[in-house]
Amino acid sequence: MSLLSDLINLNLSGTTKKIIAEYIWIGGSGMDLRSKARTLDGVVSDPQKLPKWNYDGSSTGQAPGEDSEVILYPQAIFKDPFRRGNNILVMCDAYTPAGEPIPTNKRYNAAKIFSHPDVAAEVPWYGIEQEYTLLQKDLKWPIGWPVGGYPGPQGPYYCGAGADKAFGRDVVDSHYKACLYAGINISGINGEVMPGQWEFQVGPSVGISAGDELWVARYILERITEIAGVVVSFDPKPIAGDWNGAGAHTNYSTKSMRNDGGYEVIKKAIGNLQLRHKEHIAAYGEGNERRLTGRHETADIHTFSWGVANRGASVRVGRDTEKAGKGYFEDRRPASNMDPYVVTSMIAETTILWKP
Amino acid sequence: MSSLSDLINLNLSDSTEKIIAEYIWVGGTGMDVRSKARTLSGPVSDPSKLPKWNYDGSSTGQAPGEDSEVILYPQAIFRDPFRRGSNILVICDAYTPAGEPIPTNKRCRAAKIFSHPDVAAEVTWYGLEQEYTLLQKDVKWPLGWPIGGYPGPQGPYYCGAGVDKAFGRDIVDAHYKACLYAGINISGINGEVMPGQWEFQVGPSAGISAADELWAARYILERITEVAGVVLSLDPKPIEGDWNGAGAHTNYSTKSMRNEGGYEIIKKAIEKLGLKHKEHIAAYGEGNERRLTGKHETADINTFKWGVANRGASIRVGRDTEKDGKGYFEDRRPASNMDPYVVTSMIAETTILWKP
C-alpha cells in the first residue's frame, strides 16, 4: 500500500494546473485561528485576484445561526509549507454580507491607520518577538516538565542546549524553516528563560504586513504543534510562581527615528506612549496583569518606565540606538496573546497621529 | 499529515537566498554553551563579515538586569550539520557594550597570546582528547548502567563492541560525522575504560582554532545528546570509586619541537611546565582533585612528573617522539571540563614566553 505520506507529499504540478488555497481567519475569541481550503484553477500571486469566500460564523461565535454567513476578504498570500508546490496560504479578514467589518476584525481599523498619509509617510517598521509555551497534550503541563512536579529553577534554559535544558527544539526549528519557505520575514529564534518556552521574531516588516505575517506565523505554529502532538499556549503567565511569563515585545521605528536626530523623535514618541499607558495596556492582551508584576524582566503593569538596555522597563532603548543617536525602541508591555493588528496600529497612532 | 522531519529538512535554497546563522557563546558558568539563531540575507564565509549581535546577559549570569546587553563578536564559522544547506554555526565571544571582554570571556586573552610574534612564529599545534560521559535523562546515572546498581568492573569496555559493552555508540558516530560535515578537524573517536564514557579528538589545529573547534564540537555534542534524549556530562569524576575519570589530554608541539633537535626543546618546555605546576593545575578545570589521584591512569594532583609512554605521569612523551628526537608531548593533567582557550594559551605562554 501507498503510505499516507506518499499521498500527502504528492507533487501535483505534474498532473494539473490546479492549486489549493488555505484561507485563514481569526475566530470569535480574537485568538483562535481558523482555516479551510479550496481549489483554484491556477497559480495566483496577487491577493486582489483571489475570490472572496464565506464561512459559518455561527460555529465560531461570530454570527447568529439564522444569519450565519461571514465573508472572507483575502489580504495576503504566503507559500504553503505543508502542501508545497504552487499551493498557498491566504490571510483574510472578516465582513458582514453588507460589507461591514465584523467586531472581531481588528485588521480593518489597523489598515485605515496605516494608510493615513502621515503614518504612511513615516514608513513604520515593526519587529515582533513572539514568545510561547509548549504543553504536553492532554495534561496541559509544559513539555519536558515532570508530571506532578517541577524542573530545576530557571537559569540553564535560556538559549540552552541538551536533553535536560531544551524541550521541543524540533517544533521550533521546523517552524523557522517553514516560515522562511512561506515567505514570512522571520528573523530569528531562541530558547527562553522558562523551560519549554521559546521565541521567534518576525520583522522588520512595514505597516500592516507585520500583523499579517505574525498571524500566519502563529497559524503555521499551530499546524506544526498539531503534527508534533504538543499544544501551543499563548497565555502570558502559563505557570504561576518563580517562572517567567510570555510576552510579544514589539520593536518599532519610523523614518524620522531611523534618520539623523532620530533619538529626539524616539524620546518624544516614548513620551506620548507614557501619557496613554492605560489605554495601551488595556489593548495589549488579556491576563497581562498576571505577567507584568515588576519581576521576571517586566515592569509593573501600573507603572510606565523606560531606559537604555533596561529589561525591567516598559520601554527599552538599545545601546546601539543611544550611541548612534537614531534607531528604534522596544515596547515590552504587550502580552504573548496580543493582537498584532491592534498593537502595531495603536503604537503608530499614538506616536504619529495623536497630539497630547 | 506532513511529518515534522519534512519541514526540519526543507532545503530552502530553492525558495530563498536567506540563510540561518546559529550564534554560539559560553555562558556564565564558563561551561554552559548557549545559542540563538538569526536570518541573514545571503551566505557568509568570513566571520569578520558577520554582524555583531547581543543577548540578555542577565539570563545567563553575565550582566545585571538594568544593564543587560552583552555583545557577541563572531569569531569562527562552521557548517550547520542540523540545518545543512548554506546554514552556519558561529562561535562567538562576549564583550560589554564598551568593547571590554566580560570576565567569562577567556578567548580574548588567548587570542592575544597566540598573536604574540614569538608564539605565532612557533606555529603551536594542539590535539585535544575530549572525554565525556553519557547519562540517562532524569536519573543522571550513566547510560547502560542498571538503575540502583553497577555494571561489571572495568576491563571489557575500552574500545569494546557489543550490547553489553558499548552504550550510546549512535551518539558518538552521529557526532563524528556531524563534526566532519561542520568542518571541524575531528581526528578520531574511541570507547573509554568506564562504560558509558567516550572520547573524541580534535586536531592537529593551530593556535586559537583548536579551542574554537573544541567548543563547536562540544556544542554539536550537546545538540546530538538532546536529540537522543541523553544527558552529556563533562564532570571529571562522574562516579566515585574504582571507575575512571574523564580528562582532556592536550597534545602540543611547536615548530622547534617538530624539527631536528626538537627533543631537547621538548624537555626544556616540560621543565618549565614543572616549575608552574600549581598555576596550571588551578586553571585546568574544576573538581580535578577528585580525578587526579595517582590511580586510574592519572598522576597525583600535587606531583609533577613526566615519562616516555607513561600514562601515570602528568606529561607523557610518545615512544615515536623519543626515537625520532623530535615530535610532540601530551599534557595529561587537564580535566574534561577545562576551557580549551585557557589551557592551550597557557601552555604556549609558559613554554614560549615565560622565563623562569
Side-chain angles (χ1 to χ4, degrees), chain A residues 159-162 169 173 189, chain B residues 22-25 32-37 80-83 88-91 175 179 184 200 212-226 232 234:
Chain A
C159 299
R169 190 190 297 271
D173 274 350
I189 56 126
Chain B
E22 187 87 31
Y23 279 49
I24 300 163
W25 71 95
D32 52 316
V33 220
R34 310 270 180 160
S35 78
K36 56 174 182 158
D80 185 336
F82 306 101
R83 296 194 178 101
I88 56 177
L89 304 178
V90 185
I91 293 291
H175 179 252
C179 285
I184 291 166
F200 66 89
D212 287 338
E213 292 182 62
L214 190 68
W215 275 114
R218 284 174 172 180
Y219 173 77
I220 290 173
L221 188 53
E222 279 273 29
R223 289 286 306 272
I224 286 176
T225 49
E226 183 186 311
L232 169 67
L234 294 182

Side-chain angles (χ1 to χ4, degrees), chain B residues 128-304:
Chain B
L128 305 170
E129 303 172 36
Q130 176 74 67
E131 291 179 337
Y132 61 92
T133 313
L134 297 174
L135 307 176
Q136 303 171 45
K137 196 162 84 93
D138 301 334
V139 292
K140 303 280 177 75
W141 196 234
L143 190 62
W145 292 39
I147 308 277
Y150 294 81
Q154 296 183 152
Y157 311 111
Y158 170 74
C159 298
V163 73
D164 51 345
K165 299 186 267 316
F167 311 135
R169 191 190 297 273
D170 262 9
I171 288 167
V172 188
D173 275 352
H175 179 252
Y176 200 166
K177 283 197 175 180
C179 285
L180 280 171
Y181 176 95
I184 291 166
N185 211 351
I186 183 167
S187 42
I189 56 127
N190 61 272
E192 269 301 331
V193 177
M194 185 177 106
Q197 203 170 69
W198 296 84
E199 168 179 318
F200 66 89
Q201 306 100 30
V202 170
S205 303
I208 197 92
S209 63
D212 287 338
E213 292 182 62
L214 190 68
W215 275 114
R218 284 174 172 180
Y219 173 77
I220 290 173
L221 188 53
E222 279 273 29
R223 289 286 306 272
I224 286 176
T225 49
E226 183 186 311
V227 172
V230 165
V231 172
L232 169 67
S233 170
L234 294 182
D235 188 272
K237 190 76 173 183
I239 307 293
E240 299 232 313
D242 199 4
W243 303 99
N244 273 32
H249 304 158
T250 300
N251 298 277
Y252 171 68
S253 69
T254 61
K255 203 152 131 187
S256 310
M257 295 175 194
R258 298 189 289 271
N259 287 337
E260 295 303 317
Y263 200 61
E264 292 310 308
I265 311 281
I266 286 174
K267 288 200 285 195
K268 277 187 73 254
I270 293 178
E271 204 180 294
K272 285 206 214 172
L273 287 171
L275 292 169
K276 288 203 111 198
H277 178 66
K278 274 202 156 67
E279 288 87 338
H280 278 245
I281 283 290
Y284 273 13
E286 293 292 316
N288 215 1
E289 66 285 352
R290 290 181 281 122
R291 165 181 162 256
L292 294 181
T293 57
K295 293 159 67 216
H296 300 113
E297 299 168 275
T298 70
D300 176 78
I301 196 171
N302 297 311
T303 313
F304 181 89

